[in-house]
Amino acid sequence: MLDYLIVGSGLAGISFAEIALKNNKSIVVIDDKSQISSRVAGGLYNPVILKRFSEVWKAEEQLVLMEDFYNTIEAKLQTKVNFKLPILRKFFSIEEQNNWFAASDKPLLAPFLSTKLIFKKYFGIDSPFDYGEVLHTGYVDTSLLLDKYQAYLIEDNLLLQESFQYDTLVVNDDFVEYKDIKAKHIIFAEGFGLHSNPFFQDLPLDGTKGELFIIKAPELDLDVIVNTSVFILPLGNHLFKVGATYNWKDKTDLPTEEGKAELVERIQEIINCDFEIVSHFGGVRPTVRDRRPIIGTHDKYSPLHLLNGLGTRGVMLGPAMAKDLFDYIENSKPLDPTIDIQRFYIKRK
């Protein structure tokens, strides 16, 4: 009998797979690549919500766990996926500068906001009010990470590349049966695919569509991530990833003309040089209205667990939430009430 059957191999699924394997648990992962939000994500990690100059929930703790997680992954896969780069917030006014310095005085934000303005001029960007630097930032190449991790799982016969058939799952008191597999626990880490899951589909998981570009801008001289209303991330060879939009109505992964127009307009607000759109893609992020993940165990079926709702911050949240769920299942360590699935079950009763 397996310890864990894991449905989904995006950031949530591989985060749980890795902590389970690290603790000598037996696993099998099932994935049909139908959910692409982890793969097309910007992959940025940033401990500050720059729109409001506020701290990301439990940012310091998440950064520590994230660092250890990606270091371990890189050593295991012999592949670099974590790239540390400064994020610079371009200021559009003296008022924004003042708000930055006010925020940097707050105890929770002080470790993450530099009090030294960045005066450097990057060719292709007008910056009369300079930049503020966010500390402890960078990005993870999520597409490369998922490709390499899934290949690792395949090599060890731990990945079934197929759609999960919910009506085939037999739930017993203390284990599940799926086709010829028996497992003590099943972890559903399907992202927005949760809406097809009959065991959890009544939960208030929303989907927020994001669209991104890869652009080519030969004149843009940039070796940092610039973040304003969108981010611009240098990829090398004059290529840049740019994103992202937020659409709460469209639940498809298809790029749209509306998203394209919005991104073009925002890029033109930041850079003043020519650019070419090389590729345009989209994905639906699994988000929750209270801006917290949904983690925990089904209220009726104890072998069924959920790891979902990582939203726009899967790179940071994935390792921390996987650890919390693993500790909850294996060591009965209580979950933070703000992420516990019970917050929705209690409201329902």
Side-chain angles (χ1 to χ4, degrees):
M1 183 179 295
L2 288 174
D3 291 307
Y4 291 99
L5 179 60
I6 302 168
V7 182
S9 65
L11 287 168
I14 70 166
S15 294
F16 194 89
E18 182 60 22
I19 193 168
L21 291 172
K22 191 175 180 180
N23 284 273
N24 300 312
K25 300 298 181 181
S26 54
I27 69 165
V28 164
V29 181
I30 299 178
D31 191 282
D32 63 0
K33 295 189 176 180
S34 63
Q35 301 302 313
I36 65 171
S37 63
S38 288
R39 186 171 292 279
V40 304
L44 273 62
Y45 53 89
N46 172 9
V48 180
I49 300 169
L50 289 173
K51 187 176 181 179
R52 300 188 294 274
F53 292 149
S54 55
E55 184 208 19
V56 169
W57 173 71
K58 293 190 175 182
E60 196 162 354
E61 176 184 326
Q62 288 173 30
L63 284 171
V64 171
L65 291 168
M66 186 197 80
E67 180 83 5
D68 179 64
F69 177 81
Y70 292 114
N71 284 345
T72 301
I73 290 285
E74 287 181 333
K76 173 181 283 193
L77 303 179
Q78 293 294 292
T79 304
K80 184 162 184 61
V81 296
N82 181 13
F83 300 88
K84 296 180 181 181
L85 272 185
I87 290 181
L88 302 187
R89 170 64 153 83
K90 178 183 170 180
F91 297 130
F92 288 89
S93 66
I94 294 296
E95 183 183 8
E96 281 196 343
Q97 283 187 3
N98 292 336
N99 290 341
W100 177 274
F101 286 116
S104 69
D105 279 339
K106 297 176 181 178
L108 291 177
L109 290 174
F112 307 125
L113 297 181
S114 172
T115 54
K116 295 179 181 178
L117 288 179
I118 303 296
F119 302 109
K120 182 175 178 178
K121 300 303 178 185
Y122 295 96
F123 191 84
I125 302 181
D126 286 330
S127 54
F129 299 101
D130 307 310
Y131 305 90
E133 181 180 356
V134 188
L135 308 175
H136 311 294
T137 60
Y139 75 98
V140 170
D141 186 333
T142 56
S143 182
L144 179 61
L145 168 65
L146 296 183
D147 281 345
K148 293 290 186 179
Y149 202 89
Q150 288 166 2
Y152 156 75
L153 292 173
I154 291 169
E155 186 176 344
D156 283 6
N157 294 314
L158 300 179
L159 179 63
L160 300 178
Q161 296 175 284
E162 62 185 51
S163 296
F164 188 82
Q165 305 297 318
Y166 298 98
D167 57 359
T168 306
L169 184 68
V170 177
V171 182
N172 300 292
D173 289 342
D174 54 0
F175 71 100
V176 297
E177 298 174 74
Y178 182 74
K179 299 182 179 178
D180 60 346
I181 298 172
K182 292 184 179 180
K184 295 175 186 175
H185 306 278
I186 182 168
I187 308 294
F188 288 105
E190 310 136 295
F192 189 64
L194 182 75
H195 287 279
S196 299
N197 186 325
F199 301 102
F200 292 106
Q201 65 186 177
D202 58 337
L203 291 170
L205 182 80
D206 202 359
T208 309
K209 181 173 182 173
E211 296 185 51
L212 300 95
F213 285 162
I214 302 294
I215 64 169
K216 187 167 189 177
E219 297 176 6
L220 182 58
D221 173 27
L222 198 61
D223 58 358
V224 297
I225 302 166
V226 171
N227 193 315
T228 56
S229 57
V230 292
F231 66 81
I232 301 180
L233 165 65
L235 300 174
N237 298 319
H238 308 298
L239 296 174
F240 302 85
K241 183 180 281 190
V242 182
T245 62
Y246 290 83
N247 186 321
W248 286 267
K249 294 181 180 178
D250 184 357
K251 308 300 183 185
T252 72
D253 293 323
L254 299 174
T256 65
E257 287 300 315
E258 178 187 3
K260 179 179 179 179
E262 181 181 341
L263 280 176
V264 167
E265 180 181 351
R266 292 189 179 187
I267 292 169
Q268 290 172 337
E269 290 173 354
I270 303 170
I271 69 175
N272 57 13
C273 59
D274 292 335
F275 64 91
E276 169 195 353
I277 301 169
V278 175
S279 56
H280 178 194
F281 41 91
V284 181
R285 313 171 184 94
T287 54
V288 186
R289 292 194 181 276
D290 64 7
R291 298 175 188 246
R292 292 287 183 271
I294 307 177
I295 314 294
T297 300
H298 196 280
D299 61 344
K300 293 180 181 176
Y301 307 116
S302 59
L304 273 56
H305 312 280
L306 191 65
L307 176 54
N308 210 315
L310 303 188
T312 60
R313 299 186 182 274
V315 162
M316 278 180 67
L317 275 172
M321 296 302 95
K323 182 179 185 301
D324 282 355
L325 180 58
F326 185 84
D327 286 343
Y328 169 72
I329 296 169
E330 295 292 336
N331 306 314
S332 300
K333 182 179 177 181
L335 291 166
D336 183 319
T338 65
I339 64 170
D340 194 335
I341 194 173
Q342 293 299 323
R343 70 190 191 273
F344 297 115
Y345 290 148
I346 289 169
K347 286 179 183 177
R348 230 164 38 185
K349 291 176 181 177

